[in-house]
Amino acid sequence: KQEVTQIPAALSVPEGENLVLNCSFTDSAIYNLQWFRQDPGKGLTSLLLIQSSQREQTSGRLNASLDKSSGRSTLYIAASQPGDSATYLCAVIKGGSEKLVFGKGTKLTVNP
Amino acid sequence: DTAVSQTPKYLVTQMGNDKSIKCEQNLGHDTMYWYKQDSKKFLKIMFSYNNKELIINETVPNRFSPKSPDKAHLNLHINSLELGDSAVYFCATADRRDNEQFFGPGTRLTVL
């Protein structure tokens, strides 16, 4: 059974800092990995999708890496801003499955 | 133009009632999902439909019944509501090319 763990559960940083959010998964036979952002009371916004054959994806100040063999992904946020404050969720889909398995998220607070 | 929309946004009802949540997407995706986010913010898949056919049913009580009248809609009917059904329900769709998932804004269900 696939399990996804995100560490830390919460993170508070001053504005301008670069930071890394971690995601690990128990079954390396994944099809892809997706990072989402969830603002309080809102839905999920897809940030980055990494296919199992890829090592990283970048979008603006965000960079996500994937190491399938070790069951790990990181989301790097450069020059953090107060507007980045949200909960960040990592989710994986197993090959041959339709099912997205989520971690419990990292709640990020960027202080001005 | 909202890609994935849900109605209603909030739903407050008494125990024992029957209610429905509607989901519509204009992305042209073949696959649609229902997820439940509990009070601890943990997201878990409930159902997935592909081309109006049920693909995943994740040990959800049979009081929950999804219905897909066409490829653009996936509704969730809940009978005999219980206190434990209180949660936020998210609809999502997936692009079959890479399985990237896109979420609706959520429906917050409160059972009194």
Side-chain angles (χ1 to χ4, degrees), chain B residues 50-91:
Chain B
N50 183 266
N51 269 325
K52 297 169 53 179
E53 182 184 342
L54 181 66
I55 304 297
I56 294 174
N57 181 342
E58 278 289 303
T59 59
V60 176
N62 58 15
R63 297 182 296 103
F64 290 78
S65 54
K67 286 186 171 57
S68 181
D70 55 58
K71 273 178 55 173
H73 296 85
L74 180 63
N75 303 323
L76 184 64
H77 302 277
I78 315 170
N79 296 325
S80 303
L81 278 155
E82 300 177 358
L83 292 176
D85 298 332
S86 295
V88 181
Y89 293 85
F90 287 99
C91 176

Side-chain angles (χ1 to χ4, degrees), chain B residues 1-76:
Chain B
D1 231 14
T2 305
V4 185
S5 60
Q6 293 179 228
T7 53
K9 187 170 173 61
Y10 299 98
L11 184 53
V12 181
T13 188
Q14 299 287 331
M15 256 187 350
N17 284 349
D18 303 336
K19 290 294 178 185
S20 294
I21 306 171
K22 296 185 177 181
C23 176
E24 178 179 2
Q25 57 110 350
N26 63 9
L27 296 170
H29 292 164
D30 288 335
T31 309
M32 297 184 73
Y33 305 82
W34 279 109
Y35 287 86
K36 179 179 179 179
Q37 188 171 44
D38 61 24
S39 57
K40 295 183 180 176
K41 308 296 184 190
F42 187 54
L43 260 166
K44 193 170 179 188
I45 191 167
M46 300 173 69
F47 300 103
S48 86
Y49 265 74
N50 183 266
N51 269 325
K52 297 169 53 179
E53 182 184 342
L54 181 66
I55 304 297
I56 294 174
N57 181 342
E58 278 289 303
T59 59
V60 176
N62 58 15
R63 297 182 296 103
F64 290 78
S65 54
K67 286 186 171 57
S68 181
D70 55 58
K71 273 178 55 173
H73 296 85
L74 180 63
N75 303 323
L76 184 64

Side-chain angles (χ1 to χ4, degrees), chain A residues 5-13 19-24 35 73-75 86-90 103-109:
Chain A
T5 304
Q6 291 187 245
I7 294 172
L11 181 63
S12 182
V13 299
L19 57 100
V20 173
L21 307 180
N22 296 294
C23 171
S24 61
W35 281 95
S73 175
T74 60
L75 179 67
T87 296
Y88 290 80
L89 294 156
C90 165
K104 294 187 177 180
T106 294
K107 184 176 180 180
L108 173 66
T109 303

